């Protein structure tokens, strides 16, 4: 089985990214041949700073390894190192409809918040589809906010196959059973996010223990004192139950039973400690890995080579089926740039 996921090198990564992203990458890599892509080409679709992008790309590589991706077993690479990805996106844009792209919630939300809406922000899901489809991936582990993009990529694969002949594997999304959507601790109606949420309600993976404890201690709870998972009635408490479950592996029922008679104080304190216990070793590993930039670059170079070799045959087969004339009689007939 082929596994593929992508994550953007923008914004400090947070507990939601851990829960919907990193945690799932590390567990799914056991199930097959996995590719994890640092999607730097996606990061230029909103305002960005080149120097920061350079730094964040290596930050994210270190974080992927720190959260358990094994470079011996899985391929970690940078999207811009593989020209086939944006090339494939252009080809797929021929089977992507303007109307469907216009309906993407993430686009609508992001577009609403800014004055300059780049064309790239609009076509972003087509590039994401190319990311996955070029690698013939079967499984895409992501958080809940990517459901619509996964549906779109499945549509594009099917439409391409129907139009040009069987070429692309139609992938499935995988969403975690719990923690697929971690909410902001201060505003539990909003998902945890460094762009849309509150700073106090967002636990960063690199926050020091004191900061994590403080953020959880001041997390918004709901009226009453029952510790019960009921996102409609009790969004704040339900989110904390999910976080505790992600951090410890305990089921919701166990957590409810344990804290029911105790009220919110001890509950929140324990969630804080559990998150510290989860993130502290990650931060320490991160610091070690991030300090060795040549090693990170070396691993990314190996990843890029494997990724190119995997994507190229799919790209060539798309090119061939779409009727593009191949150059003949020249030394290098490879159709890629
Ligand atoms: P991004 O940093 O936007 O590239 O997202 C990386 C991964 O984190 C994706 O799989 C997202 O679905 C996931 N993710 C982002 N925010 C959350 C959240 N609040 N809860 C759960 N998963 C999330
Ligand atoms: N759009 C995804 C996000 O914001 C990131 C992404 C890009 C991705 N390409 C991908 C995720 C391919 C999975 C597969 O989280």
């Amino acid at each position: 089985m082929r596994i593929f996921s992508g994550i953007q090198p923008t914004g400090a990564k947070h507990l939601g990214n851990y829960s919907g992203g990193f945690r799932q990458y590390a567990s799914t890599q056991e199930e097959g041949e996995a590719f994890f892509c640092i999607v730097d080409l996606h990061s230029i679709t909103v305002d960005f700073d080149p120097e920061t992008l350079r730094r964040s790309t290596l930050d994210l590589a270190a974080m992927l390894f720190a959260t358990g991706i094994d470079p011996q077993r899985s391929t970690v690479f940078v999207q811009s190192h593989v020209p086939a990805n944006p090339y494939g996106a252009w080809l797929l844009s021929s089977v992507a409809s303007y109307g469907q792209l216009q309906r993407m919630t993430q686009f609508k939300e992001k577009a609403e918040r800014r004055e300059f809406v780049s064309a790239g922000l609009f076509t972003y899901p087509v590039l994401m589809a190319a990311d996955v489809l070029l690698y013939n991936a079967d499984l895409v582990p992501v958080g809940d906010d990517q459901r619509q993009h996964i549906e779109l990529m499945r549509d594009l694969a099917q439409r391409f196959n129907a139009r040009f002949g069987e070429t692309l594997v139609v992938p499935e999304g995988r969403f975690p059973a719990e923690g697929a959507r971690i909410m902001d601790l201060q505003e539990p109606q909003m998902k945890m996010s460094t762009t849309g949420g509150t700073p106090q309600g967002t636990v960063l993976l690199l926050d020091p223990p004191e900061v994590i404890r403080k953020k959880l201690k001041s997390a918004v709870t709901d009226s009453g004192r029952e510790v019960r998972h009921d996102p409609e009635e009790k969004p704040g408490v339900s989110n904390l139950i999910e976080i505790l479950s992600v951090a410890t592996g305990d089921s919701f029922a166990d957590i409810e039973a344990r804290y029911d008679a105790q009220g919110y104080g001890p509950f929140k304190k324990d969630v804080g400690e559990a998150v510290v216990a989860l993130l502290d070793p990650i931060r320490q590993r991160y610091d070690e890995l991030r300090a060795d930039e040549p090693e990170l670059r070396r691993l990314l170079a190996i990843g890029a080579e494997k990724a190119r070799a995997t994507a190229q045959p799919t790209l060539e087969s798309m090119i061939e089926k779409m009727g593009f004339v191949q150059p003949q009689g020249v030394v290098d007939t490879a159709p890629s740039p």
Side-chain angles (χ1 to χ4, degrees), residues 6-8 13-14 16-17 19-21 25 141-146 179-183 191-192:
I7 180 159
Q8 296 200 53
K13 294 297 157 187
H14 54 77
N17 296 130
S19 183
Y25 310 155
V142 278
D144 230 26
D145 59 348
Q146 298 301 314
R181 194 176 180 80
I182 296 293
M183 310 308 278
K191 70 171 181 181
M192 187 177 284

Side-chain angles (χ1 to χ4, degrees), residues 15-68:
L15 193 56
N17 296 130
Y18 176 78
S19 183
F22 298 109
R23 176 175 67 120
Q24 285 213 94
Y25 310 155
S27 65
T28 47
Q29 77 179 336
E30 311 292 328
E31 293 175 44
E33 190 191 356
F35 290 81
F36 300 107
C37 182
I38 299 173
V39 295
D40 54 350
L41 296 172
H42 277 101
S43 293
I44 65 167
T45 59
V46 292
D47 223 6
F48 75 103
D49 164 57
E51 235 2 274
T52 312
L53 179 61
R54 230 187 297 279
R55 191 166 7 91
S56 317
T57 301
L58 293 172
D59 291 349
L60 184 53
M63 186 55 83
L64 285 162
F65 298 125
T67 49

